[in-house]
Amino acid sequence: MSVDLVGCLIPALYRDLYEMINLHGLEKITFPVFAPVFESNTLNKNVLNQIWYTVVKTNSINSRNDFYKCLALMALAQQGKTVDEKLLNNYVNRELPTPTLDSINSLEDRLIRLIRNDQRNTTLCFRYNDLCALDTIQVSVVPEKKGVIIRHVEYEINSMRQNNKVLRRYNDFVALHELLSLKYPHRIIPVLPPKKTVNVDKEFIEERRRSLKRYLQILCRHPTVCETDIIKFFLTFQGTSCGDNMKATYKNVQDEFSSEPRSLYNTNDNTEKCGEDTNGIQMFRISHTHMSFILQQLTQIRECLKGINEKQIKNANEFSTMEKTLQTLSTDSTKVDRWATGANDYWPLIQLGLAQLPVEMGAVSERLQEQYRRDEDIINDHLDLLIDILYGYKELCKRFEEALTTEQKAAGKQRRSVSTTDASSKNELNLDMIQKRNRHALKCIQMETQLVYANLEAFVYILSSLGNSQCKGCSDLLNIWKSFASKISQLGQNYVNASATQRTNTMCLRR
């Protein structure tokens, strides 16, 4: 007879673990998932197997009560007791024993990795750190080559995952973009930086290099897109004309919907699916609005940071000018007569002390330039990447809205053709396929929305990096200004304490 836990006191850990498990779907907790999540030095697979079949007796955990029993039996097993559900009767009006487990975050990470490959899953089983671990891309500019008509730029691409380096031209990226847009119309494919053939200066080349790096980084950290052979081809092909060869190899590529098993979308329960779609579309539009708001705010933050950084480099240039001006003052060889100074004959001593100050002004300029470069890297490599993802999501939403409009038009056409049997049947089949395609698209967009939210965690790292950069910059400047203040103080002491003879002999002062 099954034991009832109604009279038992439930530890807080039980509730926290249940909420974490239930968030990902209690029905997903089968024994092949349960065992690896909770297995440890004190809970081996055999013990967990006994607990599972003592309590659950089916393919998956069915209730909160069963899950709590499993946790209680884990604790008792760790105490060296036999796995027996009847032992729980001893805890009426008492708190159930608490098992010794890893942290909830660690357990959740294991669970996420175990359910990641379920095609029916509508939860993105990747955290931000998991996405970063998929690949790291480096893009550098190689020396320019001159062609017959115009010069072109090559980029060296280094993929940590592929452990490979390749050379690519901009046109190769264009080919990659075209193929991925065909293959994944309902995934986030970032916007490719524009082509430019005239007035290609170093600044433009550097900006494009950064943009192409972000473009590849987004693709290679996309859990679905990064697994396609198209990406692998782009990152590993060593021959010439990568773009042409890639297009020839994948000229018959099917989009994601067409290449997936039909069993995933064949269903007779259209009424239930229609209800799910309506709710999903409503959630999509809420998410679209929210993401548009976040994109707008992050873009504004970017503009603020760019403005602050431009002032930073301007200040660096101003201090560099001050350095040169102080050098000019300190090396001025004009002889000063007492006729001009009267009793205020301290200037030659001050001028002598000025010779030491350009060092500090130069150091201030250098530190401001260093901070400018640090902050530019944060903005261009990290904040802009997040904005690129959000903008890619915006374009994805636009494509889905267009697909929904197509579905509505097809539905209207089908209703108008009901009088003609053949036309009605044909239009009904067409509408059914459009609906299935849009249902697939909605599932993709749900995952893409979760992917954006996972990447939003990067904003914390961006702000942290900016804070650390400011702290380092302020600390460096504080030390420099302390040295500057010390020299100024010493300079003041020198001319105040100088004797009349010293003042007269300094810098050829004449009577």
Side-chain angles (χ1 to χ4, degrees):
M1 184 175 178
S2 179
V3 175
D4 194 346
L5 299 181
V6 172
C8 303
L9 302 181
I10 307 299
L13 176 66
Y14 282 40
R15 295 189 176 90
D16 292 342
L17 282 170
Y18 177 81
E19 292 304 323
M20 181 273 286
I21 294 287
N22 198 44
L23 180 67
H24 299 284
L26 192 65
E27 72 283 353
K28 295 187 178 72
I29 308 303
T30 59
F31 182 72
V33 174
F34 174 82
V37 168
F38 292 104
E39 192 172 3
S40 67
N41 292 334
T42 56
L43 286 169
N44 61 47
K45 191 172 181 178
N46 290 334
V47 171
L48 292 170
N49 183 68
Q50 292 177 46
I51 292 171
W52 179 268
Y53 289 104
T54 297
V55 175
V56 182
K57 302 182 179 72
T58 58
N59 291 332
S60 62
I61 293 178
N62 295 315
S63 67
R64 182 192 293 260
N65 194 60
D66 284 351
F67 182 66
Y68 286 173
K69 287 181 185 178
C70 289
L71 293 177
L73 291 177
M74 286 183 207
L76 292 174
Q78 287 176 327
Q79 295 173 15
K81 296 180 181 178
T82 305
V83 176
D84 186 349
E85 194 174 351
K86 293 179 182 178
L87 292 175
L88 302 180
N89 290 322
N90 298 326
Y91 290 90
V92 176
N93 297 324
R94 293 173 55 198
E95 185 175 86
L96 290 168
T98 301
T100 302
L101 304 171
D102 289 338
S103 69
I104 293 180
N105 285 341
S106 297
L107 296 173
E108 186 175 20
D109 285 342
R110 288 186 209 165
L111 175 62
I112 284 173
R113 289 183 176 89
L114 287 164
I115 64 177
R116 183 174 288 169
N117 296 325
D118 186 355
Q119 285 186 308
R120 298 165 298 175
N121 192 22
T122 55
T123 302
L124 180 75
C125 298
F126 285 83
R127 298 183 185 277
Y128 177 65
N129 287 339
D130 297 324
L131 296 173
C132 291
L134 289 175
D135 204 352
T136 297
I137 298 293
Q138 297 297 334
V139 177
S140 57
V141 177
V142 298
E144 296 179 0
K145 296 180 181 179
K146 291 188 177 181
V148 178
I149 301 175
I150 58 173
R151 63 184 183 178
H152 65 265
V153 180
E154 282 191 318
Y155 303 91
E156 183 180 81
I157 315 296
N158 184 2
S159 164
M160 185 176 294
R161 181 181 185 182
Q162 302 298 333
N163 192 25
N164 193 50
K165 292 182 181 180
V166 292
L167 297 181
R168 296 290 178 259
R169 294 177 58 181
Y170 178 78
N171 286 341
D172 299 326
F173 282 89
V174 173
L176 174 67
H177 186 76
E178 290 173 354
L179 286 169
L180 291 178
S181 297
L182 288 171
K183 173 71 174 173
Y184 299 108
H186 302 300
R187 301 289 184 180
I188 294 174
I189 304 298
V191 176
L192 195 64
K195 186 178 181 66
K196 186 177 181 182
T197 57
V198 294
N199 299 325
V200 179
D201 54 18
K202 289 183 178 180
E203 185 177 347
F204 172 80
I205 292 172
E206 173 59 17
E207 179 57 35
R208 178 187 274 181
R209 181 197 68 79
R210 287 180 179 273
S211 297
L212 292 175
K213 177 184 175 182
R214 294 195 303 270
Y215 177 83
L216 279 181
Q217 195 71 84
I218 293 170
L219 296 176
C220 292
R221 288 182 177 176
H222 189 295
T224 300
V225 177
C226 75
E227 298 297 337
T228 181
D229 289 341
I230 299 171
I231 286 284
K232 294 174 184 175
F233 187 100
F234 182 85
L235 294 174
T236 58
F237 179 75
Q238 294 289 350
T240 58
S241 302
C242 173
D244 292 338
N245 279 279
M246 192 162 51
K247 285 192 285 188
T249 303
Y250 300 104
K251 62 182 178 180
N252 296 321
V253 66
Q254 291 183 311
D255 67 22
E256 190 177 10
F257 171 77
S258 302
S259 59
E260 284 194 345
R262 296 297 89 197
S263 58
L264 291 176
Y265 303 104
N266 289 335
T267 177
N268 296 319
D269 195 356
N270 290 327
T271 303
E272 182 182 346
K273 286 295 180 183
C274 183
E276 290 178 5
D277 291 350
T278 301
N279 182 61
I281 290 170
Q282 182 182 1
M283 297 306 299
F284 152 70
R285 290 197 167 120
I286 293 171
S287 298
H288 183 194
T289 301
H290 187 217
M291 289 302 178
S292 297
F293 165 76
I294 294 175
L295 173 59
Q296 182 182 17
Q297 302 309 308
L298 291 188
T299 302
Q300 187 172 343
I301 289 173
R302 181 191 186 279
E303 293 306 311
C304 292
L305 291 174
K306 278 287 188 182
I308 293 169
N309 228 24
E310 286 171 5
K311 291 175 185 175
Q312 194 92 286
I313 197 65
K314 183 179 179 182
N315 288 341
N317 294 334
E318 296 289 357
F319 277 109
S320 180
T321 301
M322 282 185 64
E323 175 190 14
K324 295 172 185 175
T325 304
L326 287 171
Q327 285 175 341
T328 301
L329 278 173
S330 66
T331 57
D332 176 28
S333 59
T334 302
K335 293 183 179 181
V336 182
D337 195 274
R338 190 173 291 281
W339 178 89
T341 65
N344 298 299
D345 52 0
Y346 297 112
W347 174 250
L349 280 170
I350 294 173
Q351 187 181 18
L352 186 63
L354 291 179
Q356 303 177 46
L357 300 182
V359 175
E360 272 68 34
M361 294 301 100
V364 169
S365 177
E366 288 175 7
R367 296 302 175 273
L368 289 174
Q369 289 179 54
E370 287 173 4
Q371 185 168 339
Y372 168 82
R373 288 191 291 270
R374 284 197 306 269
D375 292 351
E376 277 292 289
D377 286 343
I378 295 168
I379 295 169
N380 292 325
D381 292 345
H382 300 286
L383 182 57
D384 280 354
L385 185 141
L386 192 52
I387 290 173
D388 287 351
I389 291 172
L390 285 161
Y391 191 80
Y393 180 80
K394 179 182 177 181
E395 292 298 301
L396 170 61
C397 292
K398 187 188 299 183
R399 294 195 297 273
F400 184 58
E401 289 286 7
E402 291 170 356
L404 291 177
T405 301
T406 301
E407 181 180 335
Q408 291 170 358
K409 289 179 179 178
K413 188 175 181 180
Q414 196 273 332
R415 285 193 296 269
R416 289 191 297 272
S417 64
V418 291
S419 58
T420 307
T421 305
D422 291 342
S424 176
S425 177
K426 182 178 179 181
N427 289 332
E428 187 176 351
L429 287 172
N430 183 46
L431 176 59
D432 181 61
M433 183 55 65
I434 290 173
Q435 288 175 335
K436 286 179 179 178
R437 181 175 287 276
N438 284 351
R439 194 167 292 136
H440 161 82
L442 184 59
K443 176 189 172 185
C444 290
I445 287 175
Q446 181 180 3
M447 301 299 284
E448 298 305 283
T449 304
Q450 294 176 28
L451 178 63
V452 176
Y453 275 108
N455 275 286
L456 285 177
E457 187 181 340
F459 191 52
V460 175
Y461 296 93
I462 291 167
L463 294 177
S464 175
S465 297
L466 285 169
N468 291 335
S469 175
Q470 293 295 322
C471 287
K472 176 170 175 50
C474 290
S475 176
D476 291 345
L477 290 175
L478 178 63
N479 292 330
I480 294 169
W481 285 117
K482 281 182 177 179
S483 175
F484 178 85
S486 176
K487 288 183 179 180
I488 292 296
S489 176
Q490 187 60 46
L491 173 60
Q493 290 296 320
N494 286 346
Y495 74 72
V496 167
N497 296 331
S499 64
T501 302
Q502 288 173 322
R503 297 199 302 272
T504 300
N505 292 334
T506 302
M507 298 296 290
C508 302
L509 183 66
R510 297 196 301 269
R511 294 183 185 276

